[in-house]
Amino acid sequence: MATSERKKREYAQRETLIIDTARDLLLKIGYIDLNMERIAELTEYSKGTIYQHFSCKEEILVEMLIQSAQKCGTFLIRGSQFKGTPRERVAAMILGYDLFVRLNPDHFKSKLLLQNESIRGKASPVFQKNLEKAEQENIGLVYGVLREAVESGHVQLQRGVTIEEITFGLWTGTFGAYVLMFSEVNLKALGISDPRKAVWANIHALLDGFGWHPFFQELNWEQTRNRILNEIFSQESHLAGIV
Amino acid sequence: MATSERKKREYAQRETLIIDTARDLLLKIGYIDLNMERIAELTEYSKGTIYQHFSCKEEILVEMLIQSAQKCGTFLIRGSQFKGTPRERVAAMILGYDLFVRLNPDHFKSKLLLQNESIRGKASPVFQKNLEKAEQENIGLVYGVLREAVESGHVQLQRGVTIEEITFGLWTGTFGAYVLMFSEVNLKALGISDPRKAVWANIHALLDGFGWHPFFQELNWEQTRNRILNEIFSQESHLAGIV
DNA sequence: CATCATAAATGACGTTTAGTCAAATTTTGA
DNA sequence: TCAAAATTTGACTAAACGTCATTTATGATG
């Protein structure tokens, strides 16, 4: 069945086209004004065809986020492979995440929207499950490095704290910061001129606070940061313009 | 002008009625299905009258959030007045915030939505400015206690870290956690059975990491926590069922 | 090449909600 | 009591949603 293979390919291509179009449109006109009619126009397909792929705009957003979460995963994996201590590898993952977010501004736009159950709930359950799975896999990558850190004795878990909870701290500290950065909260007016610098300081204070060796003071982090960017994310850091 | 005073009062009362109705409806049916027609029905006014107060449902949400942000401020203030070290006072503010969020579940629902610029942007600029102001005032309350902590020598700011950045860390660590808790991310599946416990551990690790005395180990926090709840939030902690 | 069955794409249509505004109603104060 | 002012109403237009009968394209077969 050579033809049916081609059909499948064409279907997948069209899906990509729809998502890419929706992504552009989302960044350009925002969620409220985003509509299926316009997506149909721009893709040069009819509304009916668009609805054959996605049941509503929210479902397109979910699929968009699934794809970007998977892409995000590749950045996390690359970060985790940095040659260094577990703490440096976690730092590399966080830097990778930052680069990913910089290069994929649509990620947080759709993420923020779908954080709302009413909006996410419009997508069909299959899509929602897939999204949950994609995001859990990414968290799993962080767990992996933390587990190694505990096993190698770089961190001693104290007072019943679990690696899941430490990950939660890293997660909320970075994710929360991006939510704020991406929502036009006036951080400048609040004295936060460089939120990324603040995140970096906070993440390291957190890890220091959990007694994770080597402590912030014990390492030249400026150097480590440059090594991470050069060795792992050379191309991306140039693309993002952080040299 | 006794009459015009009464009119004003009546107008304000109706505004309250509209907001309360919208709040109930939001919690019941969610953002997507929330609509002006239904709000009009439930308040027993006509659509036109509702539109005299608010230009769209998003504007109602903004006003809802302004009000809850102000109420939140009273919890923060009370927390900051706890008789203890600055660090204990910060902890009291965070506990106060937690109680506030528990008792006002609509707060985060609307907050999350309005984090999206496209949604928030539907409200008129005056409403948006007021919201920004209300939220900045709350952050200002945290700054106040941190400033005292620095002045009293409980924290030494190191390596160019500012109190704004530390506040940002507290903010993202708690706010980020509530965003996740309120968005049906399956935290249980990720091994986070008690996100509030995790937040507490992370906040203290963060403050320890910044060298904020007294360190977590040096205090009986279980006792402090109970004192805060008893002395400052007795009524609220019972209402929230955390005894 | 012609035919026909199947698959895919279309856009008109019914429905819902938004937001407006002229008309109806109520209130005010002389 | 009554006219002017203020308020309320809901009918109406417009926009987007989501459906589905109809049209168009495809490709297998003789």
Side-chain angles (χ1 to χ4, degrees), chain A residues 109 115 117 143 183 190, chain B residues 32 109 115 117 143 183 190:
Chain A
K109 294 248 168 178
Q115 221 66 37
E117 62 176 290
Y143 285 169
S183 42
L190 290 164
Chain B
I32 290 274
K109 293 247 170 183
Q115 220 67 38
E117 61 175 293
Y143 285 170
S183 42
L190 291 164

Side-chain angles (χ1 to χ4, degrees), chain A residues 34-220:
Chain A
L34 185 66
N35 68 78
M36 297 299 253
E37 206 101 35
R38 189 100 186 78
I39 293 170
E41 263 178 53
L42 287 173
T43 53
E44 297 185 310
Y45 284 98
S46 73
K47 209 153 45 129
T49 302
I50 306 296
Y51 273 97
Q52 217 131 50
H53 289 260
F54 301 104
S55 71
C56 56
K57 65 177 172 180
E58 289 78 12
E59 193 154 296
I60 300 182
L61 294 180
V62 171
E63 181 57 31
M64 227 158 98
L65 199 53
I66 292 172
Q67 289 188 6
S68 66
Q70 283 163 348
K71 204 198 253 181
C72 179
T74 66
F75 280 71
L76 294 178
I77 289 173
R78 283 163 64 198
S80 75
Q81 289 164 345
F82 179 70
K83 302 283 179 233
T85 64
R87 178 151 172 176
E88 289 174 301
R89 289 164 63 207
V90 166
M93 290 175 98
I94 288 173
L95 276 182
Y97 186 63
D98 181 53
L99 283 168
F100 165 74
V101 173
R102 285 179 197 250
L103 296 174
N104 301 275
D106 59 296
H107 178 80
F108 247 84
K109 294 248 168 178
S110 51
K111 186 156 180 61
L112 209 44
L113 284 163
L114 297 173
Q115 221 66 37
N116 183 279
E117 62 176 290
S118 154
I119 295 179
R120 187 180 56 248
K122 286 210 77 189
S124 57
V126 182
F127 278 78
Q128 292 185 59
K129 281 274 171 222
N130 285 342
L131 177 56
E132 194 179 333
K133 209 176 111 198
E135 299 198 320
Q136 283 184 3
E137 278 172 14
N138 287 348
I139 296 291
L141 295 172
V142 183
Y143 285 169
V145 179
L146 260 85
R147 217 169 286 124
E148 288 180 46
V150 171
E151 282 163 11
S152 61
H154 285 85
V155 210
Q156 260 99 43
L157 296 180
Q158 299 157 333
R159 301 172 239 121
V161 170
T162 64
I163 58 167
E164 284 82 6
E165 286 169 345
I166 299 179
T167 305
F168 191 61
L170 293 170
W171 187 9
T172 58
T174 49
F175 170 70
Y178 286 107
V179 171
L180 295 172
M181 286 189 237
F182 269 81
S183 42
E184 309 212 330
V185 174
N186 196 340
L187 292 176
K188 280 241 170 66
L190 290 164
I192 313 285
S193 55
D194 185 353
R196 285 183 167 90
K197 179 192 158 229
V199 171
W200 187 252
N202 287 320
I203 290 297
H204 282 293
L206 183 77
L207 298 183
D208 277 0
F210 277 121
W212 189 328
H213 293 272
F215 289 133
F216 188 75
Q217 305 256 25
E218 297 167 8
L219 227 75
N220 184 338

